[in-house]
């Protein structure tokens, strides 16, 4: 316990105790709490706390503040190893998610959401850094795809239980939140006690850095965070507010998403490996432009619930292609920059998230369709930026405007 093991020597360990084993364990633990919280959230705040569009916007603005402050991870890892910080963050997420239903008021929900969000966002920042440090560049697209699939499979089990038992056992919000949060806590404690401390080959810079040559990656992160917030905040809320979905119905929709991710996430990783980051990102962003325009059409033209449900699933699948953004950065980065840049990028990703949900919450009260038109415009902006991603990115050839150092085929 707490023994340091260089990554190169970790092959001598049993398969389950190697770095990939820990990444798989973390990929299982996080979505059990976060996805269960998300699945029940809209029904809980509408049925119990009587939220409207403005309230849900403020909740998600509060939830994203820790993401905006993710750059603080750089200061923390001066004193705590990244691996330890990741497991402690998971523990905090599990505890806070488990007691969500204890605070059925606007102020209480905002406070407990802030606490759980600290755990979630700091975990995500560290997890992304560890993935890029522990997984080789050649294997990264496929392995990241498989990790997405594993996380979806774990969440699938939780959602199936919700769908099968919510009405038959007359479950309460508190019972479900406590079970999901408790499981994440148990897995986190096991991860802390059962795994050694893995040493990556390149020591990480432990100060904030902003490098000019990463400018395209920073911009893509900003646009990704902006449009993703619109989907996360308002797409599921639409299903409850406009179409009256109940807990088991919205969870069934999430189940379909999970099955699709389990099947297609490994294929998406393989697609990134075969066709490269630029082609994959262009496909993702063009698809999102179309999806968000059709979302708007549901309000402007009165299209029905079936289209909304289909779009929700397609939306989730397209967002899974965001792993291409991770591998793009891995290819252009100095290995020592991964941890500090992951923290900086996470903060950049959440700049819009701090004000956009609250601002668009007020627009939602006037014109819900206009909210999705805004998201479509953001996706188009991302498409234009992705045109600058090289076919073979590398240090010195971070964009198509830069001269390559190694003369990769364009």
């Amino acid at each position: 316990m707490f023994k340091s093991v260089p990554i190169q020597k970790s092959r001598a360990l049993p398969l389950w105790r190697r770095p990939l084993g820990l990444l798989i364990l973390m990929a299982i633990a996080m979505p059990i709490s976060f996805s269960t919280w998300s699945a029940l959230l809209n029904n809980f705040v509408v049925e119990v706390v009587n939220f409207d569009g403005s309230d849900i916007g403020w909740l998600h603005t509060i939830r994203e503040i820790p993401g905006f402050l993710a750059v603080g991870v750089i200061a923390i890892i001066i004193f705590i190893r990244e691996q330890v910080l990741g497991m402690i963050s998971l523990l905090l997420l599990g505890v806070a998610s488990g007691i969500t239903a204890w605070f059925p008021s606007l102020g209480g929900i905002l406070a407990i959401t802030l606490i759980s969000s600290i755990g979630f966002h700091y975990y995500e920042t560290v997890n992304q850094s560890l993935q890029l440090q522990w997984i080789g560049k050649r294997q990264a697209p496929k392995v990241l795809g498989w990790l997405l699939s594993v996380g979806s499979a774990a969440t699938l089990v939780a959602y199936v239980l919700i769908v099968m038992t919510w009405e038959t056992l007359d479950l309460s919000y508190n019972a479900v939140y406590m079970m999901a949060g408790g499981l994440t806590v148990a897995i986190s404690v096991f991860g802390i006690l059962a795994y050694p401390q893995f040493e990556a080959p390149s020591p990480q810079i432990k100060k904030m850095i902003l490098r000019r040559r990463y400018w395209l990656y920073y911009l893509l992160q900003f646009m990704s965070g902006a449009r993703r917030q619109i989907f996360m905040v308002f797409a599921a809320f639409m299903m409850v507010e406009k179409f009256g979905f109940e807990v088991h119905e919205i969870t069934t929709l999430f189940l379909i998403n999970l099955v699709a991710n389990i099947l297609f996430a490994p294929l998406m990783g393989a697609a990134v490996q075969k066709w490269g980051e630029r082609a994959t990102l262009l496909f993702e962003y063009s698809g999102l432009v179309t999806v968000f325009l059709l979302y708007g059409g549901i309000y402007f033209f009165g299209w029905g619930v079936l289209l909304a449900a289909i779009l929700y699933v397609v939306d989730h699948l397209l967002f899974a292609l965001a792993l291409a953004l991770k591998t793009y950065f891995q290819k252009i980065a100095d290995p020592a920059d991964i941890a500090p840049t992951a923290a900086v990028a996470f903060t950049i990703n959440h700049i819009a998230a701090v004000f956009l949900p609250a601002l668009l919450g007020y627009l939602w009260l006037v014109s819900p369709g206009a909210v999705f038109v805004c998201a479509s415009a953001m996706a188009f902006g991302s498409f234009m930026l992705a045109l600058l991603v090289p076919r073979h990115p590398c240090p010195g050839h971070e964009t198509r405007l830069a001269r390559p150092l190694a003369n990769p085929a364009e």
Side-chain angles (χ1 to χ4, degrees):
M1 184 174 68
F2 307 129
K3 178 183 177 182
S4 294
V5 175
I7 292 290
Q8 300 91 326
K9 296 183 178 180
S10 63
R11 294 180 181 178
L13 297 171
L15 284 174
W16 68 271
R17 292 195 73 208
R18 295 179 187 178
L20 182 58
L22 181 56
L23 290 176
I24 291 173
L25 193 71
M26 295 162 71
I28 292 171
M30 186 281 289
I32 290 175
S33 279
F34 180 72
S35 297
T36 301
W37 178 83
S38 299
L40 301 184
L41 176 68
N42 290 288
N43 291 88
F44 179 67
V45 298
V46 170
E47 297 172 8
V48 179
V49 198
N50 298 315
F51 270 27
D52 59 20
S54 175
D55 295 329
I56 197 71
W58 276 110
L59 183 145
H60 284 280
T61 289
I62 295 296
R63 188 179 69 83
E64 295 301 341
I65 290 175
F68 178 71
L69 300 176
V71 70
V73 166
I74 299 171
I76 297 175
I77 63 174
I78 295 174
F79 308 100
I80 302 176
R81 292 176 181 268
E82 283 186 88
Q83 182 178 331
V84 175
L85 177 58
M87 301 311 298
I88 292 175
S89 299
L90 266 181
L91 189 67
L92 181 62
L93 170 65
V95 171
S97 299
I99 61 175
T100 295
W102 296 8
F103 304 92
S105 65
L106 176 60
I109 287 296
L110 294 183
I112 201 64
T113 295
L114 179 64
I115 295 171
S116 67
S117 182
I118 292 172
F120 171 78
H121 284 100
Y122 276 42
Y123 161 78
E124 281 291 308
T125 303
V126 171
N127 184 51
Q128 177 174 311
S129 173
L130 294 178
Q131 287 175 347
L132 299 184
Q133 290 180 65
W134 292 355
I135 303 171
K137 292 181 182 180
R138 291 185 178 181
Q139 298 81 24
K142 284 188 175 181
V143 174
L144 291 176
W146 280 108
L147 288 174
L148 282 173
S149 182
V150 167
S152 296
T155 313
L156 176 65
V157 174
Y159 282 2
V160 166
L161 291 175
I162 292 175
V163 171
M164 293 178 62
T165 62
W166 180 262
E167 289 190 328
T168 56
L169 299 182
D170 194 24
L171 293 176
S172 66
Y173 289 106
N174 184 53
V176 177
Y177 278 134
M178 286 288 288
M179 286 186 286
L183 188 53
T184 297
V185 168
I187 294 174
S188 302
V189 171
F190 176 78
I192 292 171
L193 299 178
Y195 285 83
Q197 298 298 308
F198 298 112
E199 299 285 353
S202 299
Q204 297 298 293
I205 296 173
K206 296 179 181 179
K207 64 180 181 180
M208 189 176 78
I209 58 171
L210 283 169
R211 301 208 189 279
R212 184 180 301 175
R213 66 189 185 92
Y214 299 157
W215 68 268
L216 181 57
Y217 174 68
Y218 296 148
L219 281 178
L220 287 169
Q221 282 284 2
F222 174 80
M223 297 301 292
S224 174
R227 69 177 184 277
R228 186 173 182 84
Q229 284 309 305
I230 297 178
F231 169 73
M232 290 185 64
V233 175
F234 297 106
F237 188 73
M238 173 187 69
M239 304 303 291
V240 176
E241 184 186 64
K242 181 175 178 62
F243 297 112
F245 272 41
E246 297 181 1
V247 166
H248 64 286
E249 292 171 325
I250 198 73
T251 306
T252 301
L253 186 59
F254 286 8
L255 281 174
I256 296 172
N257 285 333
L258 289 168
V259 172
N261 274 332
I262 292 169
L263 295 175
F264 290 105
L267 299 179
M268 291 175 181
V272 175
Q273 191 164 31
K274 181 175 182 179
W275 287 297
E277 286 77 11
R278 182 175 67 198
T280 308
L281 290 172
L282 289 174
F283 177 79
E284 176 194 357
Y285 299 149
S286 60
L288 289 174
V289 170
T290 304
V291 166
F292 283 127
L293 284 177
L294 292 175
Y295 268 136
I298 290 173
Y299 280 94
F300 291 129
F301 305 111
W303 298 333
V305 64
L306 179 60
L307 176 62
I310 292 172
L311 291 176
Y312 195 82
V313 175
V314 173
D315 217 336
H316 261 280
L317 287 176
L318 290 173
F319 274 126
L321 289 172
L323 66 88
L325 196 53
K326 290 184 180 181
T327 59
Y328 165 62
F329 172 66
Q330 186 186 38
K331 289 179 178 180
I332 66 173
D334 183 322
D337 289 351
I338 289 177
T341 304
V344 169
F346 224 71
T347 291
I348 292 172
N349 185 277
H350 287 76
I351 290 174
V354 172
F355 67 85
L356 202 60
L359 181 64
L360 293 180
Y362 291 110
L363 178 60
W364 181 272
L365 299 177
V366 178
S367 176
V371 171
F372 293 118
V373 172
C374 289
S376 183
M378 293 173 189
F380 181 73
S382 296
F383 180 89
M384 298 303 293
L385 288 171
L387 291 171
L388 298 176
V389 174
R391 175 63 181 88
H392 299 283
C394 63
H397 191 39
E398 298 84 5
T399 78
R400 298 181 74 185
L401 304 177
R403 292 287 183 182
L405 293 179
N407 294 317
E410 184 59 48

